[in-house]
Structure formats: structure tokens, C-alpha cells
Amino acid sequence: MTIVVSDASPLNYLIWIGCDFVLPELYGRVLIPDVVIQELQHSSAPESVRAWVRRPPTWAEIRPVGLSSPPDLNRLDPGERAAIQLATDEEASLLLMDERAGVKVARERGLMVTGTLGVILQASQSGLIEIDRVLADLQRTAFRCSPDLIAGIRRRAARL
């Protein structure tokens, strides 16, 4: 069985652009640390994200995570620490995370990681979304990445 854990950023952006429906299609269920849910409830989060958190779908399995403090996790925010810890504890097949520092630590621990763009690419390759529309929607949010990265995702999606 595939075990997938998500940090806040991929959930935030996929919900914001109305593409969270791809997560159960791609992965079945997604484990979400309770700390990440708290981050998604922050007043700065888009209302659509806060509404999602108030009534999470059945595929979103919220898990309490008692944070330990291994030295390599100390510089990360609580959501990233909890997501990495949960992914490690559950021997997850995949961790959804965007933040560079967290991704680096997760990969150093042997975890497979993909971010918002990776999920979007996989959803496009599975025929779940139209890549150009979704990338345009994503670029209208607070999501930040280089135009070259967006172009690369478009090229990879077009090859299939």
C-alpha cells in the first residue's frame, strides 16, 4: 500500500486552485500531521483552505505527531518537522513538500519527495487535469518558482 504524507504547502496550493481532488485519485489517502492542519487554519490562509480544514475529506487522514528534536530537524518549521517525522515513522512511499530546506533534510533521510509541481505533473500525466489551465491558476496564487521551472513542467507534460 502506498503511504503518502503531506506538508502544508502542497495542500495549500492544490486546495487554493481547486485541484485537491487529484490527491485521492493519485494516492488514495494522504496522511497529514495535526501541526500541518493548524498551519492551514492560520488567518493568512485563503478562505477556501480554511474551509477545507473545517471539513476535511475522508481521504485526508489527520495524525497527531509528537515532535522530537533531532538536530537535522531543528532548523525547520513545525509542519515540516512533523511531516518528515510522520513520513519516517510510517515508512511513507512519498512526502509532499515544497520548501527547499525541508526537502533537503527529507532526502538526506532517504525519503522520496515531490512538491506541488510534481503532483500537478503526475495529475496531468494521469489525465486528471489540463496542465496549462492549472499552471496558470497556480501562478495567480502566492506560489513562487522560476518561469524556467514552469516551462520545464509544461515540456514534460507535453511529452506524454
Coordinates of all heavy atoms in Angstrom, one line a residue, residues 77-110:
D77 N 10.5 24.5 10.2 CA 9.3 24.9 10.9 C 8.6 23.6 11.4 O 8.8 22.5 11.0 CB 8.4 25.8 10.1 CG 7.6 25.1 9.0 OD1 7.2 23.9 9.1 OD2 7.4 25.7 7.9
P78 N 7.6 23.8 12.4 CA 7.0 22.6 13.0 C 6.3 21.7 12.0 O 6.3 20.5 12.1 CB 6.0 23.3 14.0 CG 6.6 24.6 14.3 CD 7.3 25.0 13.0
G79 N 5.6 22.3 11.0 CA 4.9 21.5 10.0 C 5.9 20.6 9.2 O 5.6 19.4 9.0
E80 N 7.0 21.2 8.8 CA 8.0 20.4 8.0 C 8.5 19.3 8.9 O 8.7 18.1 8.5 CB 9.1 21.3 7.5 CG 8.7 22.3 6.5 CD 9.7 23.3 6.2 OE1 10.8 23.3 6.8 OE2 9.3 24.3 5.5
R81 N 8.9 19.6 10.2 CA 9.4 18.6 11.1 C 8.4 17.5 11.3 O 8.8 16.3 11.2 CB 9.7 19.3 12.5 CG 10.9 20.1 12.5 CD 11.5 20.4 13.8 NE 10.5 20.8 14.9 CZ 10.3 22.0 15.2 NH1 10.9 23.0 14.6 NH2 9.4 22.3 16.2
A82 N 7.1 17.8 11.5 CA 6.1 16.8 11.7 C 5.9 16.0 10.5 O 5.7 14.7 10.6 CB 4.8 17.5 12.2
A83 N 5.9 16.6 9.3 CA 5.7 15.8 8.1 C 6.8 14.8 7.9 O 6.6 13.7 7.5 CB 5.5 16.7 6.9
I84 N 8.1 15.3 8.1 CA 9.2 14.4 7.9 C 9.2 13.3 8.9 O 9.4 12.1 8.6 CB 10.5 15.2 8.0 CG1 10.7 16.1 6.7 CG2 11.8 14.3 8.1 CD1 11.8 17.1 6.8
Q85 N 8.9 13.7 10.2 CA 8.8 12.7 11.2 C 7.7 11.6 11.0 O 8.0 10.4 11.1 CB 8.6 13.3 12.6 CG 8.8 12.4 13.8 CD 8.8 13.2 15.0 OE1 9.4 14.3 15.1 NE2 8.2 12.7 16.1
L86 N 6.6 12.1 10.5 CA 5.5 11.1 10.2 C 5.8 10.2 9.0 O 5.6 9.0 9.1 CB 4.2 11.9 10.0 CG 2.9 11.0 9.7 CD1 2.6 10.1 10.9 CD2 1.7 12.0 9.4
A87 N 6.4 10.8 8.0 CA 6.8 10.1 6.8 C 7.9 9.0 7.2 O 7.8 7.9 6.7 CB 7.4 11.0 5.8
T88 N 8.8 9.4 8.1 CA 9.8 8.4 8.6 C 9.2 7.3 9.4 O 9.4 6.1 9.2 CB 10.9 9.2 9.4 OG1 11.5 10.2 8.5 CG2 11.9 8.2 9.8
D89 N 8.3 7.7 10.4 CA 7.7 6.7 11.3 C 6.8 5.8 10.5 O 6.7 4.6 10.8 CB 6.8 7.4 12.3 CG 7.7 8.2 13.3 OD1 8.9 8.1 13.3 OD2 7.1 9.0 14.1
E90 N 6.1 6.2 9.5 CA 5.1 5.4 8.7 C 5.8 4.7 7.5 O 5.1 4.0 6.8 CB 4.0 6.3 8.2 CG 3.1 6.8 9.3 CD 2.3 5.7 10.1 OE1 2.0 4.7 9.4 OE2 2.1 5.9 11.3
E91 N 7.1 5.0 7.3 CA 7.8 4.4 6.2 C 7.1 4.8 4.9 O 6.8 3.9 4.0 CB 8.0 2.9 6.3 CG 8.9 2.6 7.5 CD 9.1 1.1 7.7 OE1 8.6 0.3 6.9 OE2 9.8 0.7 8.7
A92 N 6.8 6.1 4.8 CA 6.0 6.6 3.6 C 6.7 6.3 2.3 O 7.9 6.4 2.2 CB 5.7 8.1 3.8
S93 N 5.9 6.1 1.3 CA 6.4 6.0 -0.1 C 6.8 7.3 -0.7 O 7.6 7.4 -1.5 CB 5.4 5.3 -1.0 OG 4.9 4.1 -0.4
L94 N 6.1 8.4 -0.2 CA 6.2 9.7 -0.8 C 5.9 10.7 0.3 O 4.9 10.6 1.0 CB 5.3 9.8 -2.0 CG 5.4 11.1 -2.8 CD1 6.8 11.3 -3.5 CD2 4.3 11.1 -3.9
L95 N 6.6 11.8 0.2 CA 6.4 13.0 1.1 C 6.1 14.2 0.1 O 6.9 14.4 -0.8 CB 7.6 13.3 2.0 CG 7.6 14.6 2.8 CD1 6.4 14.6 3.8 CD2 8.9 14.8 3.5
L96 N 5.0 14.9 0.3 CA 4.7 16.1 -0.4 C 5.2 17.3 0.3 O 4.7 17.6 1.4 CB 3.2 16.2 -0.7 CG 2.5 14.9 -1.3 CD1 1.0 15.2 -1.4 CD2 3.2 14.5 -2.6
M97 N 6.1 18.0 -0.3 CA 6.8 19.1 0.4 C 7.4 20.0 -0.6 O 8.0 19.5 -1.6 CB 7.8 18.6 1.4 CG 8.5 19.7 2.2 SD 9.6 19.1 3.5 CE 8.4 18.5 4.7
D98 N 7.3 21.4 -0.4 CA 7.9 22.3 -1.4 C 9.1 23.0 -0.8 O 10.0 23.3 -1.6 CB 6.9 23.4 -1.7 CG 5.8 22.9 -2.6 OD1 6.0 22.1 -3.5 OD2 4.6 23.4 -2.5
E99 N 9.2 23.3 0.4 CA 10.3 24.1 1.0 C 11.7 23.4 0.8 O 11.8 22.3 1.2 CB 10.0 24.4 2.5 CG 8.8 25.3 2.7 CD 7.5 24.5 2.6 OE1 7.5 23.3 2.5 OE2 6.4 25.2 2.7
R100 N 12.6 24.1 0.2 CA 13.9 23.6 -0.1 C 14.6 22.9 1.1 O 15.2 21.8 1.0 CB 14.8 24.6 -0.7 CG 14.5 24.9 -2.1 CD 15.6 25.9 -2.7 NE 15.1 26.3 -4.0 CZ 15.4 27.5 -4.5 NH1 16.2 28.3 -3.9 NH2 15.0 27.8 -5.7
A101 N 14.7 23.6 2.2 CA 15.4 23.1 3.4 C 14.8 21.8 3.9 O 15.5 20.8 4.1 CB 15.4 24.1 4.5
G102 N 13.5 21.8 3.9 CA 12.8 20.5 4.3 C 13.0 19.4 3.4 O 13.2 18.2 3.7
V103 N 12.9 19.7 2.1 CA 13.1 18.7 1.0 C 14.5 18.1 1.2 O 14.7 16.9 1.1 CB 12.9 19.3 -0.4 CG1 13.4 18.3 -1.5 CG2 11.4 19.6 -0.6
K104 N 15.5 19.0 1.4 CA 16.9 18.5 1.5 C 17.0 17.6 2.7 O 17.6 16.5 2.5 CB 17.8 19.7 1.7 CG 19.3 19.4 1.8 CD 20.1 20.7 1.9 CE 21.6 20.4 1.9 NZ 22.1 19.6 3.0
V105 N 16.5 17.9 3.8 CA 16.6 17.1 5.0 C 15.8 15.8 4.8 O 16.3 14.7 5.1 CB 16.0 17.8 6.3 CG1 15.9 16.8 7.4 CG2 16.9 19.0 6.6
A106 N 14.7 15.8 4.2 CA 13.9 14.6 3.9 C 14.6 13.7 3.0 O 14.7 12.4 3.3 CB 12.5 15.0 3.3
R107 N 15.2 14.2 2.0 CA 16.0 13.3 1.0 C 17.2 12.8 1.7 O 17.6 11.6 1.4 CB 16.3 14.1 -0.2 CG 15.1 14.3 -1.1 CD 15.4 15.0 -2.4 NE 14.2 15.0 -3.2 CZ 13.9 16.0 -4.1 NH1 14.8 17.0 -4.3 NH2 12.8 15.9 -4.8
E108 N 17.9 13.6 2.6 CA 19.0 13.0 3.3 C 18.6 11.9 4.2 O 19.5 11.0 4.5 CB 19.7 14.1 4.2 CG 20.4 15.2 3.4 CD 20.8 16.4 4.2 OE1 20.4 16.6 5.3 OE2 21.6 17.2 3.6
R109 N 17.4 11.8 4.6 CA 16.9 10.7 5.4 C 16.3 9.6 4.6 O 15.8 8.6 5.1 CB 15.7 11.2 6.3 CG 16.2 12.1 7.4 CD 15.0 12.7 8.2 NE 15.5 13.2 9.5 CZ 15.0 12.7 10.6 NH1 14.1 11.8 10.7 NH2 15.5 13.2 11.8
G110 N 16.5 9.7 3.3 CA 16.1 8.6 2.4 C 14.6 8.6 1.9 O 14.1 7.7 1.4

